[in-house]
Amino acid sequence: MKLATVMAMLVAAAAQAWALELGDVAPKSDVKMKNVDGKELSVADVKGVKGTLVIFSCNHCPFVKAWEERITALGNGALKQGVGVIQINSNDPAKAGDTYEAMQDRAKARGFQFPYVVDADSGVARAFGATRTPEVLLFDAAGKLVYHGAIDDNHKDAAAAKEHYLKDALDALVAGKEITVKTTKAVGCSIKFRS
């Protein structure tokens, strides 16, 4: 087994050990990250009155690309309902397609109305226990984790999705109702952590 593969497995195992549990309060989230508009933002800066959606993402992952229209629609919609949204790229920019300039192009092309920021040392992903792209964590107004996992149950075909995990969680959060499905398995590429 190659050393790089072993290192990736160790990093993923460590991140999994740090994973947040339902009801946990979001980690101290005042680390400033560079947004695609050049401004510095933290997760705390985007907190909404109803809660905060944190999306770990990137540009190159085929799972992100497959879900991206849904992520954009859900993120833009959540903002209008009082949920703060931030999309975070924790990947090493040496990975093709994950440069800051590529992020700027992607945000503009897709019409993100929410920040898309660079996690410069992958420290935010580690603090949140994120290991995949895409992987979403939804926090309520008190900052407690109420949903963690995937967007829905079919990355390949939006029309064929039967379970709309994130949409249902957002709808329940905004309405002040109990979220039915609170955790799902995040399906996607592994985060290419910066060393």
Side-chain angles (χ1 to χ4, degrees), residues 7-48:
M7 292 303 292
M9 289 169 61
L10 289 173
V11 168
Q16 208 47 16
W18 301 323
L20 299 176
E21 299 289 331
L22 286 173
D24 284 352
V25 175
K28 188 175 178 188
S29 51
D30 57 359
V31 174
K32 297 290 184 181
M33 297 172 282
K34 188 174 181 180
N35 187 26
V36 291
D37 66 1
K39 294 178 182 171
E40 297 282 325
L41 293 170
S42 69
V43 174
D45 291 334
V46 303
K47 182 179 177 185

mmCIF file of all heavy atoms in Angstrom, residues 7-48:
data_model
loop_
_atom_site.group_PDB
_atom_site.id
_atom_site.type_symbol
_atom_site.label_atom_id
_atom_site.label_comp_id
_atom_site.label_asym_id
_atom_site.label_seq_id
_atom_site.Cartn_x
_atom_site.Cartn_y
_atom_site.Cartn_z
ATOM 1 N N MET A 7 -1.671 7.450 4.586
ATOM 2 C CA MET A 7 -1.849 8.766 5.220
ATOM 3 C C MET A 7 -3.293 9.243 5.064
ATOM 4 O O MET A 7 -3.883 9.760 6.011
ATOM 5 C CB MET A 7 -0.874 9.792 4.634
ATOM 6 C CG MET A 7 0.587 9.531 4.984
ATOM 7 S SD MET A 7 0.891 9.474 6.764
ATOM 8 C CE MET A 7 0.594 11.173 7.188
ATOM 9 N N ALA A 8 -3.861 9.071 3.871
ATOM 10 C CA ALA A 8 -5.245 9.488 3.630
ATOM 11 C C ALA A 8 -6.202 8.722 4.536
ATOM 12 O O ALA A 8 -7.161 9.290 5.071
ATOM 13 C CB ALA A 8 -5.610 9.292 2.163
ATOM 14 N N MET A 9 -5.941 7.430 4.716
ATOM 15 C CA MET A 9 -6.792 6.614 5.581
ATOM 16 C C MET A 9 -6.691 7.070 7.040
ATOM 17 O O MET A 9 -7.696 7.123 7.748
ATOM 18 C CB MET A 9 -6.405 5.140 5.448
ATOM 19 C CG MET A 9 -6.793 4.536 4.108
ATOM 20 S SD MET A 9 -6.086 2.899 3.804
ATOM 21 C CE MET A 9 -6.777 1.936 5.129
ATOM 22 N N LEU A 10 -5.491 7.407 7.487
ATOM 23 C CA LEU A 10 -5.295 7.877 8.860
ATOM 24 C C LEU A 10 -5.993 9.207 9.097
ATOM 25 O O LEU A 10 -6.626 9.416 10.134
ATOM 26 C CB LEU A 10 -3.801 7.997 9.176
ATOM 27 C CG LEU A 10 -3.049 6.677 9.306
ATOM 28 C CD1 LEU A 10 -1.553 6.925 9.442
ATOM 29 C CD2 LEU A 10 -3.565 5.883 10.501
ATOM 30 N N VAL A 11 -5.887 10.123 8.134
ATOM 31 C CA VAL A 11 -6.536 11.434 8.253
ATOM 32 C C VAL A 11 -8.044 11.257 8.311
ATOM 33 O O VAL A 11 -8.729 11.869 9.128
ATOM 34 C CB VAL A 11 -6.118 12.372 7.098
ATOM 35 C CG1 VAL A 11 -6.997 13.603 7.051
ATOM 36 C CG2 VAL A 11 -4.655 12.777 7.239
ATOM 37 N N ALA A 12 -8.581 10.404 7.441
ATOM 38 C CA ALA A 12 -10.026 10.157 7.422
ATOM 39 C C ALA A 12 -10.494 9.542 8.740
ATOM 40 O O ALA A 12 -11.537 9.917 9.279
ATOM 41 C CB ALA A 12 -10.393 9.255 6.251
ATOM 42 N N ALA A 13 -9.718 8.604 9.273
ATOM 43 C CA ALA A 13 -10.072 7.971 10.545
ATOM 44 C C ALA A 13 -10.053 8.986 11.682
ATOM 45 O O ALA A 13 -10.937 8.990 12.541
ATOM 46 C CB ALA A 13 -9.115 6.820 10.844
ATOM 47 N N ALA A 14 -9.061 9.875 11.665
ATOM 48 C CA ALA A 14 -8.972 10.908 12.707
ATOM 49 C C ALA A 14 -10.157 11.859 12.609
ATOM 50 O O ALA A 14 -10.768 12.223 13.616
ATOM 51 C CB ALA A 14 -7.662 11.677 12.583
ATOM 52 N N ALA A 15 -10.500 12.267 11.399
ATOM 53 C CA ALA A 15 -11.644 13.176 11.216
ATOM 54 C C ALA A 15 -12.925 12.512 11.684
ATOM 55 O O ALA A 15 -13.777 13.146 12.313
ATOM 56 C CB ALA A 15 -11.759 13.600 9.752
ATOM 57 N N GLN A 16 -13.085 11.227 11.391
ATOM 58 C CA GLN A 16 -14.277 10.498 11.803
ATOM 59 C C GLN A 16 -14.354 10.463 13.334
ATOM 60 O O GLN A 16 -15.433 10.564 13.895
ATOM 61 C CB GLN A 16 -14.208 9.085 11.232
ATOM 62 C CG GLN A 16 -15.488 8.377 10.964
ATOM 63 C CD GLN A 16 -16.551 9.153 10.217
ATOM 64 O OE1 GLN A 16 -16.348 10.180 9.589
ATOM 65 N NE2 GLN A 16 -17.749 8.673 10.313
ATOM 66 N N ALA A 17 -13.209 10.337 13.992
ATOM 67 C CA ALA A 17 -13.176 10.314 15.448
ATOM 68 C C ALA A 17 -13.621 11.659 16.026
ATOM 69 O O ALA A 17 -14.157 11.721 17.129
ATOM 70 C CB ALA A 17 -11.773 9.964 15.944
ATOM 71 N N TRP A 18 -13.416 12.735 15.261
ATOM 72 C CA TRP A 18 -13.800 14.065 15.713
ATOM 73 C C TRP A 18 -15.216 14.431 15.291
ATOM 74 O O TRP A 18 -15.691 15.519 15.581
ATOM 75 C CB TRP A 18 -12.870 15.134 15.143
ATOM 76 C CG TRP A 18 -11.434 14.965 15.488
ATOM 77 C CD1 TRP A 18 -10.904 14.518 16.667
ATOM 78 C CD2 TRP A 18 -10.322 15.243 14.647
ATOM 79 N NE1 TRP A 18 -9.543 14.497 16.606
ATOM 80 C CE2 TRP A 18 -9.149 14.944 15.371
ATOM 81 C CE3 TRP A 18 -10.180 15.713 13.358
ATOM 82 C CZ2 TRP A 18 -7.876 15.101 14.857
ATOM 83 C CZ3 TRP A 18 -8.904 15.875 12.844
ATOM 84 C CH2 TRP A 18 -7.769 15.570 13.594
ATOM 85 N N ALA A 19 -15.881 13.551 14.573
ATOM 86 C CA ALA A 19 -17.203 13.863 14.020
ATOM 87 C C ALA A 19 -18.156 14.319 15.114
ATOM 88 O O ALA A 19 -18.154 13.790 16.227
ATOM 89 C CB ALA A 19 -17.767 12.644 13.296
ATOM 90 N N LEU A 20 -18.968 15.294 14.762
ATOM 91 C CA LEU A 20 -19.956 15.810 15.698
ATOM 92 C C LEU A 20 -21.122 14.833 15.816
ATOM 93 O O LEU A 20 -21.477 14.151 14.859
ATOM 94 C CB LEU A 20 -20.481 17.158 15.200
ATOM 95 C CG LEU A 20 -19.475 18.288 15.055
ATOM 96 C CD1 LEU A 20 -20.146 19.517 14.467
ATOM 97 C CD2 LEU A 20 -18.842 18.619 16.398
ATOM 98 N N GLU A 21 -21.725 14.817 16.970
ATOM 99 C CA GLU A 21 -22.928 14.021 17.214
ATOM 100 C C GLU A 21 -24.125 14.958 17.176
ATOM 101 O O GLU A 21 -23.994 16.160 17.421
ATOM 102 C CB GLU A 21 -22.842 13.350 18.594
ATOM 103 C CG GLU A 21 -21.668 12.405 18.761
ATOM 104 C CD GLU A 21 -21.818 11.122 17.970
ATOM 105 O OE1 GLU A 21 -22.960 10.698 17.739
ATOM 106 O OE2 GLU A 21 -20.782 10.559 17.570
ATOM 107 N N LEU A 22 -25.294 14.413 16.887
ATOM 108 C CA LEU A 22 -26.510 15.222 16.919
ATOM 109 C C LEU A 22 -26.635 15.910 18.272
ATOM 110 O O LEU A 22 -26.358 15.308 19.312
ATOM 111 C CB LEU A 22 -27.739 14.349 16.673
ATOM 112 C CG LEU A 22 -27.928 13.882 15.245
ATOM 113 C CD1 LEU A 22 -29.077 12.899 15.162
ATOM 114 C CD2 LEU A 22 -28.156 15.046 14.299
ATOM 115 N N GLY A 23 -27.018 17.164 18.239
ATOM 116 C CA GLY A 23 -27.157 17.936 19.469
ATOM 117 C C GLY A 23 -25.896 18.649 19.895
ATOM 118 O O GLY A 23 -25.949 19.545 20.738
ATOM 119 N N ASP A 24 -24.746 18.252 19.324
ATOM 120 C CA ASP A 24 -23.500 18.950 19.639
ATOM 121 C C ASP A 24 -23.562 20.377 19.119
ATOM 122 O O ASP A 24 -24.159 20.649 18.069
ATOM 123 C CB ASP A 24 -22.291 18.263 18.993
ATOM 124 C CG ASP A 24 -21.874 16.987 19.707
ATOM 125 O OD1 ASP A 24 -22.416 16.689 20.790
ATOM 126 O OD2 ASP A 24 -20.993 16.287 19.175
ATOM 127 N N VAL A 25 -22.933 21.270 19.843
ATOM 128 C CA VAL A 25 -22.844 22.660 19.405
ATOM 129 C C VAL A 25 -21.731 22.758 18.370
ATOM 130 O O VAL A 25 -20.704 22.069 18.471
ATOM 131 C CB VAL A 25 -22.558 23.581 20.610
ATOM 132 C CG1 VAL A 25 -22.344 25.019 20.167
ATOM 133 C CG2 VAL A 25 -23.702 23.506 21.610
ATOM 134 N N ALA A 26 -21.948 23.603 17.377
ATOM 135 C CA ALA A 26 -20.933 23.807 16.336
ATOM 136 C C ALA A 26 -19.608 24.192 16.975
ATOM 137 O O ALA A 26 -19.583 24.933 17.957
ATOM 138 C CB ALA A 26 -21.383 24.900 15.372
ATOM 139 N N PRO A 27 -18.507 23.680 16.429
ATOM 140 C CA PRO A 27 -17.197 24.072 16.955
ATOM 141 C C PRO A 27 -17.020 25.581 16.882
ATOM 142 O O PRO A 27 -17.692 26.250 16.090
ATOM 143 C CB PRO A 27 -16.207 23.378 16.009
ATOM 144 C CG PRO A 27 -16.989 22.334 15.316
ATOM 145 C CD PRO A 27 -18.407 22.796 15.292
ATOM 146 N N LYS A 28 -16.126 26.098 17.695
ATOM 147 C CA LYS A 28 -15.829 27.536 17.628
ATOM 148 C C LYS A 28 -15.577 27.872 16.167
ATOM 149 O O LYS A 28 -14.677 27.312 15.535
ATOM 150 C CB LYS A 28 -14.614 27.860 18.485
ATOM 151 C CG LYS A 28 -14.376 29.336 18.616
ATOM 152 C CD LYS A 28 -13.238 29.632 19.556
ATOM 153 C CE LYS A 28 -13.022 31.138 19.598
ATOM 154 N NZ LYS A 28 -11.821 31.485 20.330
ATOM 155 N N SER A 29 -16.398 28.728 15.640
ATOM 156 C CA SER A 29 -16.397 28.909 14.189
ATOM 157 C C SER A 29 -16.061 30.332 13.758
ATOM 158 O O SER A 29 -16.704 30.888 12.894
ATOM 159 C CB SER A 29 -17.759 28.484 13.630
ATOM 160 O OG SER A 29 -18.795 29.122 14.347
ATOM 161 N N ASP A 30 -15.056 30.916 14.402
ATOM 162 C CA ASP A 30 -14.677 32.279 14.036
ATOM 163 C C ASP A 30 -13.422 32.334 13.157
ATOM 164 O O ASP A 30 -12.861 33.398 12.936
ATOM 165 C CB ASP A 30 -14.509 33.145 15.282
ATOM 166 C CG ASP A 30 -13.476 32.577 16.254
ATOM 167 O OD1 ASP A 30 -12.913 31.503 15.965
ATOM 168 O OD2 ASP A 30 -13.245 33.210 17.301
ATOM 169 N N VAL A 31 -12.989 31.183 12.652
ATOM 170 C CA VAL A 31 -11.840 31.151 11.741
ATOM 171 C C VAL A 31 -12.236 31.849 10.445
ATOM 172 O O VAL A 31 -13.235 31.506 9.817
ATOM 173 C CB VAL A 31 -11.417 29.696 11.433
ATOM 174 C CG1 VAL A 31 -10.323 29.657 10.376
ATOM 175 C CG2 VAL A 31 -10.968 28.990 12.701
ATOM 176 N N LYS A 32 -11.465 32.850 10.055
ATOM 177 C CA LYS A 32 -11.765 33.602 8.838
ATOM 178 C C LYS A 32 -11.247 32.839 7.624
ATOM 179 O O LYS A 32 -10.133 32.323 7.620
ATOM 180 C CB LYS A 32 -11.125 34.987 8.878
ATOM 181 C CG LYS A 32 -11.653 35.877 9.996
ATOM 182 C CD LYS A 32 -13.071 36.315 9.745
ATOM 183 C CE LYS A 32 -13.534 37.279 10.822
ATOM 184 N NZ LYS A 32 -14.920 37.713 10.623
ATOM 185 N N MET A 33 -12.103 32.770 6.597
ATOM 186 C CA MET A 33 -11.769 32.069 5.351
ATOM 187 C C MET A 33 -12.063 33.012 4.188
ATOM 188 O O MET A 33 -13.027 33.785 4.237
ATOM 189 C CB MET A 33 -12.603 30.787 5.226
ATOM 190 C CG MET A 33 -12.316 29.778 6.330
ATOM 191 S SD MET A 33 -13.479 28.364 6.316
ATOM 192 C CE MET A 33 -14.934 29.123 7.085
ATOM 193 N N LYS A 34 -11.258 32.923 3.144
ATOM 194 C CA LYS A 34 -11.397 33.824 1.996
ATOM 195 C C LYS A 34 -12.557 33.386 1.108
ATOM 196 O O LYS A 34 -12.574 32.277 0.583
ATOM 197 C CB LYS A 34 -10.093 33.857 1.195
ATOM 198 C CG LYS A 34 -10.085 34.915 0.107
ATOM 199 C CD LYS A 34 -8.714 34.979 -0.554
ATOM 200 C CE LYS A 34 -8.663 36.034 -1.628
ATOM 201 N NZ LYS A 34 -7.331 36.082 -2.268
ATOM 202 N N ASN A 35 -13.517 34.293 0.944
ATOM 203 C CA ASN A 35 -14.664 34.051 0.084
ATOM 204 C C ASN A 35 -14.289 34.347 -1.374
ATOM 205 O O ASN A 35 -13.290 35.020 -1.650
ATOM 206 C CB ASN A 35 -15.834 34.940 0.522
ATOM 207 C CG ASN A 35 -17.119 34.634 -0.206
ATOM 208 O OD1 ASN A 35 -17.335 33.513 -0.676
ATOM 209 N ND2 ASN A 35 -17.986 35.627 -0.326
ATOM 210 N N VAL A 36 -15.115 33.882 -2.303
ATOM 211 C CA VAL A 36 -14.842 34.100 -3.724
ATOM 212 C C VAL A 36 -14.892 35.578 -4.107
ATOM 213 O O VAL A 36 -14.378 35.959 -5.153
ATOM 214 C CB VAL A 36 -15.787 33.282 -4.626
ATOM 215 C CG1 VAL A 36 -15.471 31.789 -4.522
ATOM 216 C CG2 VAL A 36 -17.250 33.556 -4.296
ATOM 217 N N ASP A 37 -15.487 36.423 -3.250
ATOM 218 C CA ASP A 37 -15.498 37.865 -3.530
ATOM 219 C C ASP A 37 -14.313 38.584 -2.896
ATOM 220 O O ASP A 37 -14.211 39.809 -2.944
ATOM 221 C CB ASP A 37 -16.811 38.501 -3.067
ATOM 222 C CG ASP A 37 -17.000 38.465 -1.548
ATOM 223 O OD1 ASP A 37 -16.115 37.958 -0.823
ATOM 224 O OD2 ASP A 37 -18.066 38.924 -1.087
ATOM 225 N N GLY A 38 -13.397 37.821 -2.278
ATOM 226 C CA GLY A 38 -12.202 38.395 -1.679
ATOM 227 C C GLY A 38 -12.346 38.761 -0.212
ATOM 228 O O GLY A 38 -11.357 39.029 0.460
ATOM 229 N N LYS A 39 -13.568 38.773 0.316
ATOM 230 C CA LYS A 39 -13.774 39.100 1.720
ATOM 231 C C LYS A 39 -13.460 37.899 2.594
ATOM 232 O O LYS A 39 -13.548 36.762 2.165
ATOM 233 C CB LYS A 39 -15.218 39.549 1.948
ATOM 234 C CG LYS A 39 -15.563 40.850 1.247
ATOM 235 C CD LYS A 39 -17.009 41.218 1.467
ATOM 236 C CE LYS A 39 -17.327 42.494 0.700
ATOM 237 N NZ LYS A 39 -18.760 42.792 0.703
ATOM 238 N N GLU A 40 -13.123 38.177 3.851
ATOM 239 C CA GLU A 40 -12.833 37.137 4.832
ATOM 240 C C GLU A 40 -14.083 36.905 5.674
ATOM 241 O O GLU A 40 -14.648 37.848 6.232
ATOM 242 C CB GLU A 40 -11.673 37.564 5.733
ATOM 243 C CG GLU A 40 -10.356 37.766 4.996
ATOM 244 C CD GLU A 40 -9.644 36.468 4.676
ATOM 245 O OE1 GLU A 40 -9.723 35.526 5.482
ATOM 246 O OE2 GLU A 40 -9.019 36.402 3.610
ATOM 247 N N LEU A 41 -14.508 35.659 5.752
ATOM 248 C CA LEU A 41 -15.716 35.293 6.495
ATOM 249 C C LEU A 41 -15.469 34.065 7.358
ATOM 250 O O LEU A 41 -14.648 33.220 7.018
ATOM 251 C CB LEU A 41 -16.852 34.950 5.528
ATOM 252 C CG LEU A 41 -17.430 36.053 4.661
ATOM 253 C CD1 LEU A 41 -18.359 35.458 3.619
ATOM 254 C CD2 LEU A 41 -18.182 37.056 5.522
ATOM 255 N N SER A 42 -16.244 33.958 8.421
ATOM 256 C CA SER A 42 -16.226 32.750 9.245
ATOM 257 C C SER A 42 -17.615 32.126 9.223
ATOM 258 O O SER A 42 -18.584 32.758 8.781
ATOM 259 C CB SER A 42 -15.849 33.099 10.683
ATOM 260 O OG SER A 42 -16.889 33.848 11.293
ATOM 261 N N VAL A 43 -17.721 30.911 9.729
ATOM 262 C CA VAL A 43 -19.032 30.281 9.849
ATOM 263 C C VAL A 43 -19.912 31.133 10.759
ATOM 264 O O VAL A 43 -21.099 31.351 10.476
ATOM 265 C CB VAL A 43 -18.908 28.831 10.383
ATOM 266 C CG1 VAL A 43 -20.280 28.233 10.656
ATOM 267 C CG2 VAL A 43 -18.125 27.960 9.402
ATOM 268 N N ALA A 44 -19.340 31.666 11.830
ATOM 269 C CA ALA A 44 -20.099 32.515 12.756
ATOM 270 C C ALA A 44 -20.654 33.752 12.060
ATOM 271 O O ALA A 44 -21.753 34.220 12.393
ATOM 272 C CB ALA A 44 -19.219 32.916 13.933
ATOM 273 N N ASP A 45 -19.940 34.279 11.082
ATOM 274 C CA ASP A 45 -20.380 35.488 10.380
ATOM 275 C C ASP A 45 -21.655 35.283 9.564
ATOM 276 O O ASP A 45 -22.359 36.245 9.273
ATOM 277 C CB ASP A 45 -19.283 36.002 9.430
ATOM 278 C CG ASP A 45 -18.076 36.565 10.152
ATOM 279 O OD1 ASP A 45 -18.228 37.024 11.309
ATOM 280 O OD2 ASP A 45 -16.977 36.535 9.563
ATOM 281 N N VAL A 46 -21.937 34.059 9.160
ATOM 282 C CA VAL A 46 -23.087 33.807 8.291
ATOM 283 C C VAL A 46 -24.274 33.208 9.038
ATOM 284 O O VAL A 46 -25.287 32.876 8.425
ATOM 285 C CB VAL A 46 -22.715 32.893 7.087
ATOM 286 C CG1 VAL A 46 -21.584 33.505 6.283
ATOM 287 C CG2 VAL A 46 -22.370 31.492 7.541
ATOM 288 N N LYS A 47 -24.171 33.086 10.347
ATOM 289 C CA LYS A 47 -25.244 32.478 11.142
ATOM 290 C C LYS A 47 -26.570 33.165 10.850
ATOM 291 O O LYS A 47 -26.662 34.394 10.829
ATOM 292 C CB LYS A 47 -24.898 32.590 12.628
ATOM 293 C CG LYS A 47 -25.916 31.963 13.536
ATOM 294 C CD LYS A 47 -25.510 32.093 14.993
ATOM 295 C CE LYS A 47 -26.601 31.508 15.863
ATOM 296 N NZ LYS A 47 -26.323 31.707 17.282
ATOM 297 N N GLY A 48 -27.607 32.355 10.626
ATOM 298 C CA GLY A 48 -28.939 32.892 10.363
ATOM 299 C C GLY A 48 -29.816 32.854 11.598
ATOM 300 O O GLY A 48 -29.516 32.159 12.564
#
